[in-house]
Amino acid sequence: MKEKIIEIRWHGRGGQGVVTCAELLAKAAIAEGKYAQSAPSFGPERRGAPVAAFLRISNKPIYLRSQITHPDIVVVLDPTILTLPDVTAGIKKNAIFIANTNKLLEDVKYILGVNVNLGVIDATKIALEIIRRPITNTTMIGSFIRATNIVKIESVKQEIMTRFPTNYETNIKAMIRGYDELEMETDANRTVIKEKKDGKKAMPKLPKWRELTIGLTTKAGSAQAYKTGSWRSLVPVTDATKCIKCGICWVYCPDSARYQTPDGTYETNFDYCKGCGICARECPTHCITMQEEKE
Amino acid sequence: MSEQFSVYVPKLINKQEDFVHGHRACQGCGLALAVRLILKAAGKNTIVVSPTGCLEIISTPYPQSAWNLPWVHVAFENAAAVAGGIEGAFKALRAKNKKDNKKINIIAIGGDGGTSDIGLQALSGAFERGHDFLYVCLDNEAYMNTGIQRSSSTPFGASTTTSPSGAVSMGQITWKKNMAAIAAAHNIPYVATACPSYPFDLMEKVQTALKTQGPKYIHCLVQCPTGWGCATDLIIRLGSLAVETGIFPLYEVINGKYKLNMDFPKLRPVTDYLKFQSRFRHLKPADIAIIQKRVEQEWQALKQKVECFKKTGVK
Amino acid sequence: MAKREGIEISLAVAEAVKLADVDMVAAYPITPQTHIVEKLAEMVADGELKAAYINAESEHSAISLCLGSSIAGARTYTATSSQGLALMHEILYIASALRLPVVMTVVNRALSGPLNIWGDHSDVMGERDTGWIQFFAQNGQEAFDMTLQAFRVAEDHRVMLPVIVNIDGFTLSHVIEPIYILEQNEVNKFMKEFKPLNALDPRTPMTFGAFATPEYYIEAKKQLEQALFSSRKVITEVWNEFGKLYGRKYTPIEGYKANDANILLLTLGGIGETAQTAVDEMRDDGIKVGLLKLKLYRPFPIQELRRMCKKAKTLVIAERAMSIGGEGGPIGFEVRSAFYNEPTHLKIHDIILGLGGRDVRVEDFKMMINHALKNKPKEYELIGVRE
Ligand SMILES: Cc1ncc(C[n+]2csc(CCOP(=O)(O)OP(=O)(O)O)c2C)c(N)n1
Ligand code: SF4
Ligand code: SF4
Ligand code: SF4
Ligand SMILES: [Mg+2]
């Protein structure tokens, strides 16, 4: 490891354990005598929303508490958020990028639209096989270690054992498979793509203080501009032929994301549906099924 | 599903969405669902006051708002006072002919912490002064906004981040504060319990309350998959189970008179409700037996109140 | 014509509130504020004042009721003291952030503990940074006038900020003295109709009290700070208009024999008049002493202060609040820092006195001045303590 501070950003959804990733690795690095810092992003986002966590690791004391804006390494735990601009925001040239995906490496590179040193792993599949839940954090830690070699797998094992006293075995297994099965570009086989212009997130233009409303009043209903569809990892698919137009799904949706089509049946508003599955569960004719969201 | 849906429910329900999508509530948030339904029942001529809590945070990150109605947040412990101030001001302005007489509903919607803990004094004061407003407590049984800490409304046995279960702890060791009874003790004209699993019941209660003059209180159990540790798609079932086990009975207290809205010849065992939630996962059979006994006692006590009013016809 | 009346200052304040035709009063009693709110309750009960009088169950709720009322579009007033003000603390910041023109009289009283119901400024100094405009009255007439002025300033659309009018507990609030009480028709020439900038109204739904992430918070605070700074212009306008109408002139700092003084006193509130007598007596003894009375505390009139101290060599601050552990009082800190980068050789002495209702006498000021002139007094001193 070089003498510099390595900055790592983790992406996932609230509730998927991104913060746990950063914490376990920080603790493991500290246990090895290194210096590390992990921090969650302190936002109001709730479970399901895309969130990030931050990790710094160094051989020397870290005198830096500002946010990580130009990461050396990015790890994405959830395949359905790969296309979000936040994931590639500010990323360094030829940074290491590890994605949980079942897509081909070349395809992911194209989707990302930036020239990174890419690694792919189908962590969801591994987690489902071993942990029986799509919680990919420990699998992704394995891939991270393989790609970066910053901490030792042994030290992370220790941390996992302390953190998950009852189910550490499956988590360690998942980590090892994440380590073994990572597919990583090497200098020899690096694919170079034409970078997309919008690959890097443009700084949103925020209003100047004079432009804020007096007393910070807000326009009614303006939250509709925020599309919560990106929170979804499962998607309700409706078989309209079985729909009896009862509207129960519409009544129970906390996100008012079901609407009536001209023929009277109900469909999902994918801009806002968070994929909670209530509609599918409550539909009296079982005409809604929750399916894996496509990347 | 014990509430009967007639086919084509949308015909019966206000189509207008005044709690708009784009709000940041967790997937499957019962609180967001309850608010959506409450606003449907209340209609356009409504002002909403909210204290600090999940509801405020998920709905109003500047410069956006999920509220289509006038809405105001001031602080955590004072929603009832702010609502009272609005009501008092309207009254004064009308008396001085500075405002027309068109009825405007004033609804304060707060969490269990903002209601039964830190906001209890302001609420009691507002009830006692007789402001014409409706207070709805959306009870997700903990301080969810700050990370699932216990409140006085957290049920016995639930593990929260400040009442964790552990080697020598069974989680929350106090019994849930009975806010509806506290509200009723203020002799206000309308008190009810509700749950969004029963949307028609909830909406009807909101409408009954808004038709009643004076202070009104609705205590609404709202499912929180994040804080309760349950599957997001199960929340409607869980609400029904809370009612069917007798853990959260649906009733009204109209001018002091108790009325049970949903009676059961036999309650379901509490485990039917508890087993779907990780906050109760650590409970041992003996703990559950304690809960079962207490639920039955309280159910009987409630039924006695209902019976007593039936017999005496006390108004 | 205004009537010259011997009237208790608290009651004169209540008269001003009535003349301002407030729509809503919400309050909780605390000594020494009680006479104001009792009088207002009586006025409402007698139908003299057409307003809602709401008996809050705490000061926290009183101020919260006021915020609700103001945001509903009503002219709103409250009054409190000491512990009551401290209990309101949290909500005061929100009142200014929401830009609600609530007017409040703070009848200044010491903060517990030990419990003490008598006057000093320790209560309001804790609210320095809440974003409220703050006036300090030095006598009954000012208390009456400033109460009216407060509504005009607060409700001006260029301002839209809450205002505190400070009056000393007991030594002002409970004193009967001659005050010109304006007639309603005279007041009507001065007061304007309250038109809220935005109000809670289902016809024009709006969200009030959104939360701001780090991307917005600083801008929001900057907006508030600018509003407070710009209120200076409106305050001056309102004072000028008031002066034209009723002949009483107001300035942020009132100078007394200050122009040629080489030693100046600085006071807030009622002790200013006692200090004035001390100045007269010392002038008779040939001491070139003058006096500055700070009437506008927020926004702080830093330029006027610097200008009025240009010729003096020494400034003695006499203030009635401590900042325990801070080697000075809150006014001392602010004044000292106002001169830190100035090319003056002004010597500043920060004297704290009159805490918890301890009497402040002419001799106290004389002693301060004599010390400052002869000995080498400390930069900061708490005086009147039995050693
Ligand atoms: C005076 C004060 N104390 C503490 C807080 C921190 N706080 C904000 S929301 C909250 C809990 C809210 O709980 P509840 O009212 O049950 O609403 P929920 O978020 O669960 O819906 C707390 C403790 C605060 N904002 N203000
Ligand atoms: S609940 Fe099912 S059957 Fe009823 S409207 Fe929705 S999709 Fe159709
Ligand atoms: S899964 Fe169904 S109920 Fe849940 S947000 Fe989507 S449409 Fe609404
Ligand atoms: S924490 Fe609970 S109450 Fe809060 S938004 Fe999430 S599900 Fe809703
Ligand atoms: Mg709660």
Side-chain angles (χ1 to χ4, degrees), chain A residues 238 242-250 258 266 282-285 287-288:
Chain A
T238 316
K242 284 205 279 174
C243 173
I244 56 163
K245 309 171 185 178
C246 67
I248 286 174
C249 54
W250 171 75
R258 294 285 290 176
Y266 280 77
E282 298 302 324
C283 170
T285 65
C287 67
I288 308 172

Side-chain angles (χ1 to χ4, degrees), chain B residues 192-224:
Chain B
T193 64
C195 175
S197 293
Y198 303 89
F200 287 102
D201 179 73
L202 167 61
M203 286 189 285
E204 254 174 58
K205 283 170 175 169
V206 170
Q207 275 162 353
T208 310
L210 292 175
K211 272 185 231 139
T212 310
Q213 181 71 27
K216 287 83 63 174
Y217 181 77
I218 296 180
H219 194 91
C220 184
L221 181 73
V222 292
Q223 311 86 330
C224 169

Side-chain angles (χ1 to χ4, degrees), chain C residues 107-122:
Chain C
V107 184
N108 302 117
R109 159 184 155 179
L111 277 174
S112 300
L115 190 142
N116 171 295
I117 58 166
W118 293 272
D120 74 24
H121 294 155
S122 55

Side-chain angles (χ1 to χ4, degrees), chain C residues 274-332:
Chain C
T274 312
Q276 186 173 328
T277 300
V279 166
D280 283 343
E281 291 182 11
M282 285 186 282
R283 281 272 176 174
D284 290 345
D285 296 340
I287 303 170
K288 271 182 122 183
V289 57
L291 170 64
L292 305 178
K293 301 168 180 174
L294 189 68
K295 291 191 186 173
L296 180 66
Y297 176 47
R298 279 291 176 273
F300 191 72
I302 191 165
Q303 299 303 344
E304 281 87 346
L305 180 68
R306 284 177 181 154
R307 188 163 41 73
M308 295 175 90
C309 289
K310 268 243 154 69
K311 289 197 195 127
K313 289 197 179 61
T314 311
L315 176 65
V316 182
I317 301 161
E319 61 175 320
R320 300 184 71 185
M322 300 178 88
S323 168
I324 294 173
E327 296 286 334
I331 301 292

Side-chain angles (χ1 to χ4, degrees), chain A residues 223-235:
Chain A
Q224 295 194 48
Y226 184 78
K227 305 281 163 67
T228 50
S230 67
W231 294 26
R232 185 173 60 230
S233 46
L234 291 175
V235 58

Side-chain angles (χ1 to χ4, degrees), chain B residues 45 57 60-63 65 68 70-74 77-78 81-82 84-86 89-90 92-93 96 98 121-122 129, chain C residues 21-24 50 54-58 60-61 64-65 68-69 72 90-91 94 200 205-211 216:
Chain B
N45 269 318
I57 292 292
T60 62
Y62 185 79
S65 167
N68 248 340
W71 179 90
V72 57
H73 157 251
V74 176
E77 61 286 67
N78 63 356
V82 174
I86 297 167
F90 282 174
L93 291 173
K96 291 167 104 168
K98 289 185 187 170
Q121 175 179 322
R129 289 188 298 267
Chain C
D21 188 31
V22 297
D23 302 313
M24 155 84 126
K50 288 200 175 45
I54 301 190
N55 282 299
E57 82 295 338
S58 74
H60 195 284
S61 283
S64 302
L65 281 151
S69 160
E90 178 198 26
I91 307 302
I94 305 170
L200 286 167
M206 246 185 196
T207 290
F208 298 84
F211 77 94
Y216 291 98

